[in-house]
């Protein structure tokens, strides 16, 4: 799996810090895939309202060097509450006997 | 929004710590926080009131680098501030500013970080709003420079709608202002000192006894004659000169000679002034309708009181007069049974006392003449190195009031006062800087 170039490490850290990339798995040490990084850059560019190039261009570089609030832009999604119908289906599945 | 909001609409706030060596004065920072909260209170039916002590809903701190919340700061630039959402179980209401930033106010765009702009953004988080992709939103995550005069600043439509989705809308009449209670001076008056004084007829703080002392919103006020001195939450005298009581608390008679006691009512943060047979109730700096009223409303003697204070330990208010004391239940609205009595929980206390004050941690201070005693919050006994000089410990007077050889003994313990290295060392803030050019 292609990994980000070393010089982009700072970018990856920034994207993780502000919620555009999930944190790396501390157990496996799995690096972010380049596809994921590119996708995150696109999301970040869209959020910031700059040209969506998917690469670390001048405008994106300028943006990540700007002073900012340290809270993430994309909050980790919380488990959605199940609707009544979904809940009933799960209960039915649980109560079915094994073959 | 983050999907969570405060369930209450009456939200307390305080600035807990300030940056060292900042170019803005503490007073300026507090005023800017007040105006930043007012921005949100103008759009939504939220009431903000400043409090002292440790239990504010929104607690503002200036911190640096790693500070224990998992979001370390990184020095100038980069991450400048953060705040936690109302749904955060441990950190809700915490608002942190990087103390290593160069916080400014009314400075050019590229000169430091505009504290008001950042504070409005962070308070948005404290109330439940997340970052916005809108380029004009105050909730955009990137610092966009100053946003103009805090007195005139208003939320843009999108931000207004976002906060109203969480809390509903505030229908204001054109002359109404949202309620953000505080005792701060007007922003336009900041560079100047507190109310102007007539010539030099005011009392000398270093040689005077005091009539009353109180803590309001965490600040300490000493009253003498028609004047008062004010100390910040960090016990810094805001001005060496006293200000006129009636000039600051609008509604007291201008000919008022003195006040006997003042205290902040814990149930609604109203401020009560006692002078002779009368008392007044203030909401911030303005008197409430229907006052003054006789002190007999409380079940007190018509001659008035020597002192009064509210004790956070039991949420009761204690009144003192001629060696007697009463205990008033603010929630029930009546005196407790068994009072008045000579035996105070704090003993022995000087009698008659000029006034009594409670500190943030429940410790109690009794003032008489030019001296004060401190009573431990646990044992309720006077601490050994007291009495000490009011002027020296509280009012920024440097001279030794008593030569060591003639130091008086305590009327209670018989002990001579000893130096106490734990005592506060007041510093005076004499100037307010708005930019490097005027500092």
């Amino acid at each position: 799996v292609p990994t980000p170039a070393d010089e982009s490490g700072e970018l990856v850290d920034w994207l993780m810090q502000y919620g555009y990339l999930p944190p790396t798995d501390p157990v496996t040490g799995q690096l972010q895939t380049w596809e994921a990084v590119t996708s995150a850059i696109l999301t970040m560019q869209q959020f910031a309202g700059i040209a969506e190039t998917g690469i670390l261009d001048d405008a994106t570089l300028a943006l990540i060097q700007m002073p900012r609030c340290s809270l993430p832009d994309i909050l980790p999604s919380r488990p959605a509450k199940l609707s009544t119908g979904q809940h009933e289906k799960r209960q039915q599945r649980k109560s079915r006997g094994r073959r | 929004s983050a999907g969570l909001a405060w369930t209450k609409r009456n939200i307390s706030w305080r600035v807990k710590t300030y940056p060292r060596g900042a170019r803005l004065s503490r007073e300026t920072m507090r005023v800017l926080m007040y105006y930043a909260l007012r921005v949100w209170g103008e759009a939504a039916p939220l009431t903000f009131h400043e409090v002292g002590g440790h239990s504010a809903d929104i607690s503002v701190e200036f911190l640096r680098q790693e500070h224990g919340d998992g979001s370390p700061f990184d020095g100038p630039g980069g991450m400048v501030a953060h705040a936690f959402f109302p749904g955060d179980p441990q950190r809700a209401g915490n608002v942190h500013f990087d103390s290593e930033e160069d916080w400014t106010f009314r400075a050019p765009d590229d000169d430091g970080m505009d504290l008001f702009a950042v504070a409005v953004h962070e308070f948005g988080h404290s109330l439940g709003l997340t970052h916005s992709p809108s380029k004009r939103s105050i909730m955009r995550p990137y610092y966009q420079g100053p946003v103009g005069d805090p007195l005139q600043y208003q939320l843009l439509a999108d931000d207004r709608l976002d906060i109203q989705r969480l809390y509903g809308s505030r229908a204001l009449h054109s002359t109404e202002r949202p309620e953000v209670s505080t005792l701060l001076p007007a922003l336009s008056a900041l560079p100047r000192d507190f109310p102007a004084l007539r010539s030099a007829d005011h009392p000398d703080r270093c040689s005077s006894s005091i009539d009353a002392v109180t803590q309001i919103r965490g600040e300490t006020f000493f009253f003498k004659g028609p004047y008062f001195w004010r100390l910040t939450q960090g016990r810094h005298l805001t001005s060496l000169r006293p200000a006129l009581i009636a000039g600051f608390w609008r509604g007291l008679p201008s000919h008022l000679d003195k006040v006997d006691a003042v205290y902040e009512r814990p149930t609604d943060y109203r401020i009560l002034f006692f002078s002779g047979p009368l008392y007044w109730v203030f909401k911030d700096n303005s008197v409430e309708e229907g006052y003054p009223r006789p002190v007999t409303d409380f079940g007190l003697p018509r001659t008035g009181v020597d002192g009064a204070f509210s004790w956070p330990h039991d949420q009761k208010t204690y009144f003192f007069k001629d060696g007697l004391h009463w205990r008033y239940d603010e929630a029930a609205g009546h005196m407790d049974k068994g009072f008045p009595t000579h035996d105070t929980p704090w003993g022995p206390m000087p009698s008659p006392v000029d006034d009594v004050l409670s500190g943030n941690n429940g410790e109690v201070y009794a003032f008489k003449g030019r001296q004060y005693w401190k009573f431990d919050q646990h044992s309720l006994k006077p601490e050994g190195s007291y009495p000490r000089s009011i002027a020296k410990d509280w009012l920024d007077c440097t001279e030794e009031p008593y030569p060591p050889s003639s130091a008086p003994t305590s009327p209670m313990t018989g002990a001579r006062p000893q130096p106490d290295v734990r005592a506060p060392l007041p510093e005076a803030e004499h100037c307010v800087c708005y930019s490097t050019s005027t500092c």
Side-chain angles (χ1 to χ4, degrees):
Chain A
V1 177
T3 56
D6 288 344
E7 61 268 27
S8 299
E10 191 184 344
L11 170 67
V12 171
D13 288 346
W14 191 97
L15 292 168
M16 285 195 294
Q17 164 87 34
Y18 297 114
Y20 293 100
L21 276 173
T24 49
D25 186 334
V27 179
T28 64
Q30 176 65 53
L31 295 174
Q32 305 284 356
T33 67
W34 192 239
E35 287 84 351
V37 173
T38 304
S39 170
I41 294 172
L42 280 168
T43 310
M44 173 263 206
Q45 289 168 332
Q46 187 184 34
F47 195 93
I50 60 174
E52 295 172 41
T53 62
I55 59 168
L56 184 58
D57 52 23
D58 288 347
T60 310
L61 190 62
L63 207 63
I64 70 168
Q65 289 169 344
M66 279 182 76
R68 58 162 290 155
C69 173
S70 24
L71 285 201
D73 300 338
I74 312 293
L75 295 177
S77 55
R78 283 174 296 185
K81 280 186 179 174
L82 295 176
S83 66
T84 312
Q86 286 173 311
H87 185 70
E88 283 171 0
K89 280 180 187 171
R90 284 208 172 175
Q91 289 298 104
Q92 284 170 3
R93 253 181 252 143
K94 276 185 186 173
S95 59
R96 285 170 66 183
R98 288 190 176 185
R99 287 186 187 173
Chain B
S1 81
L4 293 162
W6 292 93
T7 52
K8 56 169 95 173
R9 296 293 181 267
N10 192 4
I11 296 169
S12 59
W13 67 279
R14 71 178 289 225
V15 183
K16 199 171 168 187
T17 59
Y18 294 88
R20 287 173 182 270
R23 73 162 100 161
L24 298 180
S25 73
R26 294 177 173 208
E27 201 71 359
T28 303
M29 292 184 184
R30 282 181 60 220
V31 174
L32 293 176
M33 297 301 158
Y34 158 78
Y35 279 98
L37 284 166
R38 199 181 75 163
V39 165
W40 297 105
E42 278 179 337
L46 296 168
T47 300
F48 300 98
H49 56 267
E50 189 182 19
V51 295
H54 298 276
S55 57
D57 299 317
I58 292 179
S59 178
V60 176
E61 289 188 86
F62 287 81
L63 303 162
R64 63 186 294 276
Q65 303 293 332
E66 176 57 60
H67 53 273
D69 65 359
S71 298
F73 286 126
D74 53 1
M79 293 175 275
V80 301
H82 53 242
F84 297 97
F85 298 120
D88 191 303
Q90 269 86 43
R91 304 171 297 182
N94 288 357
V95 183
H96 296 164
F97 294 85
D98 187 346
S99 62
E100 293 185 300
E101 302 295 341
D102 185 14
W103 295 108
T104 58
F105 170 54
R106 288 180 180 156
D109 287 13
D110 55 353
D111 187 11
M113 293 285 147
D114 187 83
L115 183 57
F116 173 72
V118 178
V120 175
H121 174 102
E122 298 305 334
F123 288 142
H125 289 316
S126 298
L127 297 173
L129 298 183
T130 55
H131 283 152
S132 166
S134 167
K135 280 196 170 175
R136 298 181 64 207
S137 169
I138 194 68
M139 296 313 294
R140 184 172 167 81
Y142 306 99
Y143 175 68
Q144 299 166 91
V147 291
D149 186 351
L151 286 170
Q152 307 300 328
Y153 179 78
Q154 289 190 329
L155 293 173
L156 294 172
D158 285 356
D159 294 326
R160 181 175 286 268
L161 280 175
D162 285 343
I163 195 70
Q164 289 177 350
R165 278 191 196 105
L166 291 177
Y167 298 99
S169 62
R170 174 189 285 276
L172 281 179
H173 298 295
S174 58
T175 54
E176 261 185 305
R177 303 301 296 173
E179 190 178 351
V180 187
S181 74
T182 183
L183 288 174
L184 293 166
L187 194 66
S188 56
L190 257 184
R192 294 191 290 275
D193 208 331
F194 289 107
L197 299 174
R198 301 187 303 261
S199 63
D201 60 349
H202 52 77
D204 175 12
R205 72 185 192 285
C206 296
S207 60
S208 301
S209 61
I210 56 132
D211 297 331
V213 58
T214 191
Q215 198 174 70
I216 304 171
R217 322 286 196 250
E219 296 190 6
T220 310
F221 293 77
F222 283 87
F223 298 85
K224 179 66 181 178
Y227 296 97
F228 73 92
W229 291 273
R230 178 179 186 174
L231 280 71
T232 66
Q233 292 179 16
R235 281 202 191 171
H236 297 247
L237 205 57
T238 59
S239 172
L240 298 177
R241 297 178 305 170
L244 281 167
I245 300 169
F248 190 73
W249 276 281
R250 295 178 296 272
L252 287 173
S254 57
H255 56 272
L256 189 76
D257 290 336
K258 66 189 272 282
V259 295
D260 298 322
V262 184
Y263 76 92
E264 182 180 21
R265 192 158 63 192
T267 49
D268 58 3
Y269 307 103
R270 297 295 195 266
I271 303 153
L272 283 76
F273 280 77
F274 291 77
S275 183
L278 300 173
Y279 76 101
W280 291 255
V281 175
F282 278 76
K283 179 172 174 290
D284 307 326
N285 304 66
S286 302
V287 73
E288 299 260 279
E289 286 286 327
Y291 291 94
R293 297 265 319 154
V295 297
T296 49
D297 283 358
F298 287 84
L300 290 164
R302 63 182 70 247
T303 49
V305 296
D306 295 331
F309 83 106
S310 178
W311 198 28
H313 180 74
D314 60 3
Q315 297 283 306
K316 301 286 177 86
T317 299
Y318 290 79
F319 293 98
F320 299 83
K321 177 70 175 175
D322 296 335
L324 290 169
H325 85 278
W326 290 254
R327 193 176 72 195
Y328 187 77
D329 187 327
E330 295 283 0
H334 59 67
M335 285 290 179
D336 282 346
K337 286 181 180 171
F339 293 90
T341 172
H342 283 97
D343 303 321
T344 67
W346 310 274
M349 190 175 268
S351 175
V353 72
D354 287 338
D355 208 350
V356 183
L357 174 74
S358 175
N360 288 338
N361 298 319
E363 74 276 22
V364 168
Y365 301 91
F367 295 80
K368 182 175 173 62
R370 292 167 55 186
Q371 296 175 305
Y372 76 105
W373 288 257
K374 182 181 179 184
F375 295 83
D376 182 80
Q377 69 260 42
H378 302 298
S379 69
L380 310 184
K381 300 293 178 199
E383 295 191 3
S385 57
Y386 291 82
R388 292 179 55 89
S389 161
I390 299 169
K392 199 174 173 205
D393 287 357
W394 296 83
L395 298 175
D396 198 27
C397 301
T398 51
E399 74 274 20
E400 183 63 50
Y402 304 104
S405 59
S406 62
T409 54
S410 162
M412 301 180 299
T413 62
R416 288 185 185 281
Q418 299 296 318
D420 182 0
V421 294
R422 296 165 301 172
L425 296 171
E427 296 169 23
E429 284 184 336
H430 300 289
C431 64
V432 177
C433 301
Y434 282 85
S435 68
T436 47
S437 59
T438 59
C439 189

